[in-house]
Amino acid sequence: MAAVTKYFLLLLLLNSFAQIARCSVTYDRRGLVINGRRQILFSGSIHYPRSSPDMWEGLIQKAKDGGLDAIDTYVFWNLHEPSPGNYNFEGRNDLVRFVKLVQKAGMYLHLRIGPYVCAEWNFGGFPVWLKYVPGITFRTDNQPFKIENEYGLESKNFGGAGHSYMSWAAKMAVGLDTGVPWVMCKEDDAPDPVINTCNGFYCDYFSPNKPYKPTMWTEAWTGWFEEFGGPIHHRPVEDLAFAVARFIQKGGSFINYYMYHGGTNFGRTAGGPFITTSYDYDAPIDEYGLPRQPKYNHLKELHMAIKLCGHALVDADPKVTNLGNYEQAHVFSTKSGRCAAFLSNYHWDTSARVTFNKMHYDLPPWSISILPDCRTVAFNTGTMRSKKSLPQMLPTNVPMLSWESFNEDISSSDSDARITVFGLLEQLNVTRDASDYLWYTTSVQISPSESFLRRGQGPVLSVNSAGHALHVFVNGKFLGSAFGTQENKKFTFSKSVDFHAGVNSVALLSVNVGLPVCSGFVTLTRLFLSHIKNIGHRFETWNTGVLGPVTLHGLDHGTRDLSRQKWSYKVGMKGEAINLYSPSKISSVDWMKASLAANRQQPLTWYKAYFNAPNGNEPLALDMSSMGKGQVWINGQSLGRYWTIYAKGQCSGCRYEGTYRQGKCQDGCGKPTQRWYHVPRSWLKPTQNLLIVFEEIGGDASKISLVKRSLAYV
């Protein structure tokens, strides 16, 4: 079933794109050959659902102005087929419109069909219903499942079955006769004619598996993503440009920046778990669509310098000459007399003066100078000529009007339960990702003779959870919360309980913070990554939710295990069930106009307000720093999950020189990992915009404000 529907979707897309494509694309060892002309190509990843359609044309044009030739995007299966056979290509899902805008700009498109995308995207891009296709095993030679992306490490995990499956996928893809080459990222044994490619912070070490294939870098990481509770990552552009120039001077011919514009994980699309709603990625174009300087301009100058090298790069092989212990010259000379040179200094803290062609050149540490004519320096990767942009979140002074609140009825979580069984159930198997929330409720009988009733020191309730967050209520009162982390998704809630004699209710609200995109941390060489999340071995077998044990300690008869007794289950919140965030549904509950001060620490509360759109065209955001954790909607559209959790990490000074890893240049420690949440202007009306907030823990909604993003330059 899954294979059949996926083939239909794949062919639908390819037929649409076949009408757009009007060129011949082949390859040789020096690069892609388009309409008979070999080219050096720069590409940038811009994921269409991570921005609003009104932003697409501007983002694509900024990419072109920045010197890019192509746009790269995944195809997000779980968006396009949310249930078997039901397709959605509207709004942010309008892939065909996005592709046509790329064509309109005169750019190429690198389409990564997937269907596994990783991309820190919910469930790796798979629809959750796929998990429940009978007999399925993800990402191996398994009949219900046939299609792939970024499979190299995964193939090794499955051994012979992985290799067999990879070979089948390659043959199937080539057999579609699309008229363009196919690539397999990180697949060292990709069979002919499929091209194997490199992903990473650096790829100058990489060579394709056959000498007649081009050297391609499909993910040049411009930064890194953020996790709630972690710091903000930055990759200095001097190092990124150095990495790109190193790749080109070794014979590379295609580079795709991941990301060129990261955008926003609207709704519940962020995966992980714990991936933030912002997917800014320290990209050359920031989350809001503004150029990040000096990264944007510095890369633009790099692209111009490399293109000035023109035919020399695609018609000649580099000749390497040592100019010192850490210095080299890579020279491209053609029979027609064209010449281009790259002069490199690999030392991370010492400048160097080198002699090349009887001329002297000064090279900053960890840098490469590009000489398009083998004489004049057009660009040096470590020399900055662009100003730095400083983003500012400025007040719009737009008031939030008519605040009202609505509290979820904790006591109804048991009476409204749809499932009652003995024992604890895995969360995703119950919710099928229809909601982040699952109620587990049970009752506890306390004998009047229990000694703790006289002591006033209640027993300790201990709850072991597989993640990701948990809110505990006893007899309708909030007892406390506990949270996992990216490193330790499993956690234990433990707190003494003020039980009374007789029957007591225990309600556990388990909360997902994004479904996994992989099976956990994989330790690689220290020179690569200490851990990496963009692989996905058997992640369909991951468990989440309250899996126990759930115990009471400190009773007269010792520990009582509640795990195997009768539990009732309810998916989601009442507000979700009635679409409370929809403008047409807000009157379906009794909103209270009482003072918000009384609700500041009230868990499981919905808030409602109206505001008018501010003047101007600056990008907008909500400042949610006064709130705890939850979700937010504007005019029925979900901005995503918010969580005001403070960042922990190592935030210190940053130098561009030396090998970059995602832990090298961080900031924001001791501050909320994410404070501002992008509000697309296209979502707003001139007046009476509806803001709905669902707060899980407690916060001060009256301090939520709308701000505008502006750039200053230094």
Side-chain angles (χ1 to χ4, degrees):
M1 177 180 177
V4 173
T5 56
K6 184 57 185 177
Y7 287 149
F8 177 80
L9 175 60
L10 178 61
L11 292 173
L12 174 68
L13 293 171
L14 291 176
N15 286 336
S16 298
F17 301 146
Q19 299 173 21
I20 298 172
R22 293 291 185 271
C23 59
S24 167
V25 185
T26 59
Y27 67 79
D28 61 19
R29 68 185 184 90
R30 293 297 304 132
L32 294 176
V33 181
I34 303 176
N35 291 335
R37 186 167 70 93
R38 193 182 296 119
Q39 298 187 39
I40 300 288
L41 294 176
F42 293 101
S43 172
S45 288
I46 299 176
H47 295 159
Y48 53 98
R50 282 177 157 142
S51 56
S52 55
D54 69 298
M55 295 176 64
W56 290 347
E57 191 165 12
L59 293 172
I60 293 167
Q61 187 60 48
K62 286 186 178 74
K64 183 177 182 178
D65 294 343
L68 300 193
D69 309 286
I71 300 297
D72 172 290
T73 187
Y74 280 120
V75 177
F76 297 84
W77 185 6
N78 54 7
L79 290 185
H80 296 301
E81 195 176 9
S83 60
N86 295 314
Y87 299 102
N88 182 353
F89 286 89
E90 298 179 352
R92 293 201 316 277
N93 300 345
D94 193 344
L95 173 57
V96 173
R97 177 184 172 189
F98 181 80
V99 172
K100 288 182 177 179
L101 288 173
V102 174
Q103 181 199 34
K104 179 182 176 183
M107 302 180 73
Y108 301 116
L109 179 81
H110 181 208
L111 185 69
R112 298 178 67 175
I113 289 176
Y116 172 74
V117 302
C118 179
E120 293 70 57
W121 189 262
N122 198 52
F123 216 46
F126 289 156
V128 170
W129 58 260
L130 186 69
K131 175 179 177 178
Y132 302 101
V133 172
I136 200 166
T137 301
F138 284 7
R139 314 193 72 195
T140 188
D141 196 7
N142 170 256
Q143 190 56 41
F145 182 92
K146 291 285 190 179
I147 26 208
E148 205 39 70
N149 162 61
E150 288 187 311
Y151 194 61
L153 291 175
E154 192 71 355
S155 177
K156 294 177 176 62
N157 287 328
F158 282 112
H163 180 79
S164 172
Y165 171 53
M166 179 275 300
S167 300
W168 174 90
K171 183 178 180 181
M172 180 275 292
V174 173
L176 292 172
D177 194 23
T178 60
V180 295
W182 288 79
V183 304
M184 282 187 167
C185 307
K186 302 190 298 186
E187 188 66 52
D188 294 339
D189 57 349
D192 288 353
V194 175
I195 306 165
N196 64 305
T197 67
C198 181
N199 293 355
F201 289 120
Y202 305 94
C203 280
D204 52 290
Y205 65 87
F206 171 77
S207 296
N209 60 15
K210 295 292 176 60
Y212 44 80
K213 295 180 181 179
T215 304
M216 300 178 65
W217 189 359
T218 39
E219 289 188 13
W221 297 335
T222 60
W224 203 245
F225 55 87
E226 271 69 58
E227 303 158 1
F228 284 116
I232 307 301
H233 304 89
H234 301 284
R235 185 179 187 185
V237 68
E238 298 95 327
D239 174 72
L240 177 58
F242 180 60
V244 170
R246 285 174 71 173
F247 183 73
I248 294 292
Q249 74 178 7
K250 293 285 291 289
S253 60
F254 177 95
I255 295 170
N256 176 68
Y257 295 104
Y258 189 100
M259 300 290 297
Y260 198 75
H261 165 73
T264 307
N265 294 316
F266 294 112
R268 297 189 301 112
T269 59
F274 305 112
I275 303 300
T276 57
T277 298
S278 171
Y279 198 66
D280 181 82
Y281 223 92
D282 199 41
I285 303 175
D286 71 17
E287 178 183 4
Y288 298 86
L290 302 176
R292 172 174 277 111
Q293 303 291 13
K295 185 167 280 189
Y296 179 87
N297 276 354
H298 197 61
L299 292 179
K300 179 179 180 178
E301 293 171 9
L302 168 68
H303 304 151
M304 293 174 61
I306 290 175
K307 289 179 179 180
L308 287 174
C309 298
H311 291 289
L313 295 180
V314 296
D315 292 344
D317 293 320
K319 180 181 178 181
V320 183
T321 303
N322 289 327
L323 304 178
N325 292 332
Y326 297 93
E327 298 81 35
Q328 287 184 336
H330 287 68
V331 182
F332 298 78
S333 298
T334 68
K335 293 180 180 179
S336 63
R338 298 177 186 271
C339 182
F342 291 68
L343 307 183
S344 310
N345 177 11
Y346 297 113
H347 204 287
W348 68 273
D349 68 350
T350 303
S351 298
R353 167 163 279 204
V354 299
T355 301
F356 173 72
N357 279 352
K358 299 181 181 180
M359 297 179 65
H360 299 298
Y361 297 88
D362 294 317
L363 303 177
W366 201 253
S367 77
I368 296 175
S369 285
I370 300 174
L371 289 62
D373 59 359
C374 284
R375 295 184 61 83
T376 306
V377 176
F379 180 82
N380 176 270
T381 62
T383 302
M384 190 61 58
R385 294 185 291 204
S386 177
K387 291 184 177 181
K388 181 179 181 180
S389 58
L390 298 177
Q392 304 175 84
M393 306 306 273
L394 304 176
T396 61
N397 298 317
V398 170
M400 298 292 173
L401 305 173
S402 305
W403 277 111
E404 295 179 290
S405 65
F406 165 74
N407 295 331
E408 287 278 337
D409 184 2
I410 310 300
S411 61
S412 69
S413 60
D414 189 7
S415 59
D416 294 344
R418 297 181 179 180
I419 303 173
T420 300
V421 298
F422 287 93
L424 299 167
L425 299 179
E426 195 275 336
Q427 183 164 344
L428 187 57
N429 285 339
V430 180
T431 67
R432 303 295 175 101
D433 199 35
S435 171
D436 281 355
Y437 307 104
L438 179 63
W439 285 102
Y440 295 70
T441 59
T442 191
S443 60
V444 177
Q445 182 77 37
I446 296 296
S447 169
S449 63
E450 284 284 350
S451 59
F452 78 82
L453 294 171
R454 298 186 297 275
R455 296 194 311 266
Q457 180 66 40
V460 173
L461 175 65
S462 179
V463 182
N464 283 24
S465 173
H468 310 134
L470 182 71
H471 308 307
V472 180
F473 301 83
V474 173
N475 294 326
K477 295 181 179 180
F478 180 54
L479 185 62
S481 302
F483 307 95
T485 65
Q486 188 61 259
E487 290 74 20
N488 299 292
K489 299 172 184 65
K490 296 182 178 180
F491 60 90
T492 300
F493 172 90
S494 186
K495 192 170 184 179
S496 61
V497 187
D498 186 19
F499 279 141
H500 56 68
V503 177
N504 296 261
S505 67
V506 174
L508 310 177
L509 181 60
S510 182
V511 187
N512 273 331
V513 190
L515 297 181
V517 301
C518 67
S519 59
F521 298 105
V522 176
T523 301
L524 304 175
T525 64
R526 291 185 179 181
L527 289 177
F528 185 48
L529 289 176
S530 59
H531 62 273
I532 189 168
K533 304 177 183 63
N534 60 351
I535 63 167
H537 184 61
R538 299 301 310 278
F539 67 87
E540 79 276 13
T541 65
W542 256 38
N543 291 325
T544 189
V546 180
L547 300 183
V550 178
T551 55
L552 282 176
H553 306 273
L555 297 173
D556 290 349
H557 296 286
T559 298
R560 183 188 302 182
D561 189 350
L562 308 180
S563 307
R564 297 180 181 274
Q565 67 183 43
K566 185 180 291 185
W567 289 83
S568 297
Y569 297 86
K570 176 188 173 185
V571 176
M573 313 306 298
K574 179 180 179 181
E576 289 181 297
I578 59 176
N579 295 326
L580 190 60
Y581 40 80
S582 170
S584 63
K585 300 291 185 179
I586 57 170
S587 61
S588 57
V589 300
D590 293 326
W591 294 90
M592 296 183 62
K593 295 184 179 180
S595 170
L596 290 180
N599 287 320
R600 284 182 182 176
Q601 299 305 318
Q602 180 69 36
L604 307 190
T605 301
W606 296 80
Y607 297 97
K608 172 174 72 77
Y610 291 93
F611 66 94
N612 297 333
N615 296 326
N617 58 5
E618 302 96 335
L620 302 174
L622 279 182
D623 184 346
M624 300 295 292
S625 58
S626 65
M627 304 303 288
K629 180 182 179 298
Q631 299 181 43
V632 57
W633 295 261
I634 289 181
N635 293 331
Q637 303 244 44
S638 174
L639 293 185
R641 303 182 183 99
Y642 68 85
W643 191 1
T644 310
I645 183 173
Y646 285 71
K648 298 179 181 178
Q650 296 181 349
C651 297
S652 56
C654 175
R655 295 182 56 177
Y656 81 83
E657 301 94 338
T659 302
Y660 178 80
R661 293 294 176 255
Q662 70 269 32
K664 181 179 179 181
C665 294
Q666 302 180 148
D667 65 25
C669 296
K671 300 178 182 178
T673 301
Q674 184 171 355
R675 174 178 176 177
W676 296 287
Y677 294 78
H678 181 205
V679 178
R681 276 193 176 262
S682 61
W683 290 11
L684 301 183
K685 305 177 296 182
T687 61
Q688 286 290 295
N689 294 285
L690 174 64
L691 171 64
I692 297 289
V693 178
F694 175 61
E695 171 60 46
E696 298 174 21
I697 306 170
D700 188 350
S702 67
K703 293 183 179 178
I704 296 174
S705 64
L706 188 70
V707 298
K708 58 185 178 182
R709 188 173 179 88
S710 178
L711 298 179
Y713 294 90
V714 294

